[in-house]
Every structure is written in structure tokens, then in C-alpha cells.
Amino acid sequence: MKKSRGALIVLEGLDKSGKTTQIKSCLEILKADGLDVCQLSFPDRTTSTGQLISSFLREQTILDDRAVHLLFSANRWEKWKEMNEWLSNGTSILVDRYAYSGVAYTASKGYDLDWCLGPDKGLIAPDLVVYLSASSTVLESRSGYGEERYENKAFQSRVSETFEKLKTKKWLTVYSDRPIEEVTHDIITPMRNTIRGCLSGSLESG
Ligand code: T5A
Ligand code: NA
């Protein structure tokens, strides 16, 4: 039997696809179910790497694309130990963006996909990736869109194409241009099942 541990569930998608909104509502439901869950988001803007990243995203700092790529990855490695401890203790984690965003955004600038994948190799592999899909036309109408670097239609379309290349059988793609509750309804059961599978040790981890 596989070792029992918490589940690592990642939400991915383009800018303003609703990741933060869905994590909030799913977290409430899963906690009400009595499950031990917490949340994390990347970039974590509170650490020193995160502050540099945030300044870059707000277009207040100029950095080489490859340096930024490594900073985003470092920002995830900073959390590795803590995430490992939580999962081992049976806490499941809902993560707002992960290494897939790192790879998709840098590769969409024209950098080699294999080079982009390198720095995140060895991070904890998620048990489920929920991909919120909506067209860049829909997303650009959402509030706050355009305030940060990367939030333009042409670039977002390229990112969307790169995400397609990263999908595996652990990905669940959900169309997110629908009422918030409908999207939640579609993703909550797969999340619950993944958490219960990991806790019972019946899910193949990694
Ligand atoms: N990045 C990130 C990299 O380049 N490399 C990396 O390694 C990583 C981790 C910042 C940027 O950094 C890049 C990607 C990003 O460009 P971020 O901090 O996650 O990453 O920023 P955003 O993706 O822009 O996150 P947002 O928080 O702005 O978008 P969300 O979380 O997808 O969307 P959310 O839930 O905040 O919703 C956005 C708006 O839409 C509404 C919400 O109310 C809100 O106003 N909304 C809906 N409206 C209608 N219908 C629905 N179903 C809706 N759901 C939400
Ligand atoms: Na954004």
C-alpha cells in the first residue's frame, strides 16, 4: 500500500481565469467536509524573492527574462520544505499557480522548453492540476486586467498554447467563463476524491 499523505492540488490558468476565486470557495467547502486543507500561492510576494518578482510584474524593475525565471523557481523552492512537512502530516494544499506557470510564461517568450523545465525539477509533483480555461477575450474584460506585465491578449494567447503542451493525465481542464458556483461544482468532487485517495494511500503519488 502507498504511504498516506495529504494531496497537492494545483490550480493553473491564464491571468484572471479565476484561480484565486475558486481556491477560496473550494477551501471553504473542503474544510466544512472536515478535511485538513490549506492554501498557497505562487509567486509568494511576501519573501525577498517575491518582492523582486512583484516589482518586476508591476513593471517597476527591469530584469533579464532568464533571471526572472530562476527567481520564480527559487520562490517555489523556498516553500519546498514546509510543503513537504504539511503533506507528510496529512495536510492537503491547494496551490494557486506552480511550476507550470513558470514554464508556460517563460517559454512563451521564445525560450527553449527544456531549459525552462530545468530549475523546477525535483519540486513535489502535484496529484491533480485543475486548469481553468477561458478565452483571452473573456479574460481581458475582467477587473484588474492589464495592471501587470503579461496581461495583454497576444501574450496570453501564446501562454495558453504553451499550457496545452504541458498537460498530462493528471490535468483536469474546466471551462471557467461560467458562474463561479458552476465552476466550483465541477472541480470540488475531483479535489475531494484526490484528497481522500492520498489520505487512504490508494493514489499513486508523484
Ligand atoms: N508567473 C507566475 C510567471 O511568469 N512565472 C511563474 O512561475 C508564476 C508562478 C502573476 C503573474 O506571474 C506570472 C503569471 C502572472 O502573469 P498571479 O499573482 O497569480 O501571477 O496573478 P494573476 O494570475 O493575474 O492572478 P489573479 O489573482 O489576478 O487572477 P486569478 O486568480 O486567476 O483570478 P481571480 O480569481 O482573482 O479573478 C479575477 C477577476 O475575475 C473575477 C473575480 O471576481 C476578479 O475580479 N472572476 C469572475 N468573473 C466572472 N466569472 C467567473 N467565473 C469569475 N471568476 C473570477
Ligand atoms: Na496577473
Side-chain angles (χ1 to χ4, degrees), residues 15-16 97 148 151:
D15 291 63
K16 311 297 173 210
R97 292 191 187 275
E148 288 200 328
E151 293 178 350

Side-chain angles (χ1 to χ4, degrees), residues 113-161:
L113 195 64
D114 278 339
W115 183 85
C116 294
L117 287 162
D120 290 301
K121 275 187 187 152
L123 283 178
I124 308 164
D127 302 293
L128 173 68
V129 181
V130 173
Y131 182 74
L132 299 180
S133 151
S135 74
S136 40
T137 307
V138 166
L139 300 179
E140 73 177 346
S141 70
R142 289 196 174 167
S143 93
Y145 187 99
E147 285 171 10
E148 288 200 328
R149 198 186 288 268
Y150 304 145
E151 293 178 350
N152 69 79
K153 211 170 158 184
F155 187 68
Q156 294 289 319
S157 297
R158 285 208 295 284
V159 175
S160 155
E161 285 166 21

